[in-house]
Amino acid sequence: MRIGFIGLGSMGAGMAGNLVKAGHDVTVWNRSPDAAAPLAEQGAAVADTAVKAVANVEVLHSMLANDAAVREVLLDSGVLDALPKGAVHVNHATISVALARELVAAHADRGLGYVAAPVFGRPAVAAAGGLNIVAAGSPEALATVSPLLALLGQKVWPMGDDPVRANIVKIGGNFLIGAAIESMAEASALTRAHGVSAKDFLEVMGGSLFASPIYTIYGGLIAEEKYSPAGFKMSLGFKDIGLARAAAEAERVPMPFASVMHDTLLEALGAGDGDLDWAGMARVAAARARLDDAKR
């Protein structure tokens, strides 16, 4: 299949690589050209503009960082206008509900298929083809891209024919991940203040009451204070909690804990920690409790 792939960050590079390995004719583009070099070595074609990356494709995958990047690359630069009629666009980005609705209309106006397929997983999982993918779109569009999604994920979770449904599931899921991290951060600050290390505490929790990937993965990062290199940056976490708050306000849904996480992440960004993994919320909790203060 002729595939375009736009956005080769920490997640997109591994995803595009899996499509290349499966033998598809993949053309890639990234705003930072150096990111495309490893894909070229694997056999992908590299376009020098986003529009050229989609000129003759049957399916376009995009994995962009935020609303602004999606709007700039897909709408303002003319990518959707350049896609052949009948092509299907698979959008893996975590975006706002408002932009999600705009994109549904934009694709329909151009005679394009559209599937929202945000993913859960970290970069190593993406490279291994082990993502969980939440997908929504018309049955025809989903049928076209399902074999490709199967190469990218261990499981595809169908959410119906309205792409916006997949986006709100992703927003809600990232809120839950952030809430777990914030809870571990505060609880481990509490135990540290009473002489029990974060490692000892989180090993108990991750091996008993909270034996799940989120608690074991992020609990391990907190226990080791391993926040760099980031699998998911604080700055992206701040963006996603903002998406949850905006979606909640639109439907008058109170989410008090989203405000707590907003403040924690804003504090981290203010301290210059935006590029650290968002497990680093534990640093904020420890600093608030003055656990690393030499006088304590």
Side-chain angles (χ1 to χ4, degrees):
M1 190 174 286
R2 298 187 307 278
I3 300 170
F5 204 110
I6 289 176
L8 304 174
S10 60
M11 297 291 287
M15 295 166 70
N18 285 324
L19 297 173
V20 175
K21 290 173 190 174
H24 291 285
D25 180 2
V26 181
T27 300
V28 300
W29 178 84
N30 194 68
R31 282 187 288 187
S32 302
D34 289 349
L39 274 300
E41 292 176 1
Q42 294 175 42
V46 179
D48 56 10
T49 70
V51 168
K52 290 180 181 178
V54 307
N56 298 300
V57 303
E58 299 166 86
V59 175
L60 167 65
H61 289 259
S62 62
M63 177 55 112
L64 298 164
N66 51 37
D67 278 26
V70 169
R71 183 177 297 283
E72 177 188 342
V73 174
L74 298 180
L75 296 175
D76 296 345
S77 74
V79 163
L80 292 191
D81 293 323
L83 272 172
K85 280 279 175 61
V88 179
H89 173 213
V90 185
N91 182 13
H92 297 290
T94 304
I95 58 173
S96 69
V97 170
L99 181 57
R101 289 177 176 147
E102 184 179 344
L103 287 174
V104 171
H107 286 79
D109 290 345
R110 292 165 173 81
L112 300 171
Y114 181 52
V115 173
V119 303
F120 291 107
R122 289 168 69 84
V125 176
L131 297 167
N132 277 279
I133 304 174
V134 183
S138 72
E140 296 79 12
L142 285 169
T144 297
V145 304
S146 287
L148 304 178
L149 297 180
L151 297 171
L152 304 179
Q154 61 172 306
K155 185 173 178 62
V156 177
W157 301 85
M159 281 294 135
D161 60 4
D162 181 2
V164 179
R165 288 170 53 86
N167 294 119
I168 196 62
V169 169
K170 172 61 173 172
I171 290 170
N174 277 15
F175 166 80
L176 285 176
I177 295 170
I181 296 170
E182 176 71 21
S183 296
M184 285 187 282
E186 294 185 22
S188 59
L190 172 64
T191 64
R192 284 182 60 194
H194 288 271
V196 177
S197 70
K199 182 177 184 296
D200 286 346
F201 169 66
L202 291 170
E203 280 185 352
V204 173
M205 295 298 103
S208 58
L209 300 177
F210 298 97
S212 69
I214 293 302
Y215 283 89
T216 54
I217 292 170
Y218 286 103
L221 295 177
I222 292 170
E224 297 175 17
E225 298 184 19
K226 187 179 179 181
Y227 307 130
S228 183
F232 189 75
K233 294 180 180 180
M234 294 263 208
S235 56
L236 292 175
F238 181 73
K239 180 264 293 184
D240 287 354
I241 298 305
L243 296 182
R245 296 177 81 204
E249 288 177 13
E251 297 297 332
R252 303 295 187 264
V253 178
M255 294 184 73
F257 207 54
S259 297
V260 172
M261 285 186 282
H262 169 273
D263 290 349
T264 295
L265 289 161
L266 183 60
E267 193 170 334
L269 267 60
D273 290 339
D275 287 337
L276 297 182
D277 194 281
W278 69 333
M281 284 195 274
R283 289 181 59 164
V284 178
R288 288 170 176 167
R290 300 183 64 187
L291 292 175
D292 299 317
D293 193 321
K295 296 180 181 179
R296 187 176 177 88

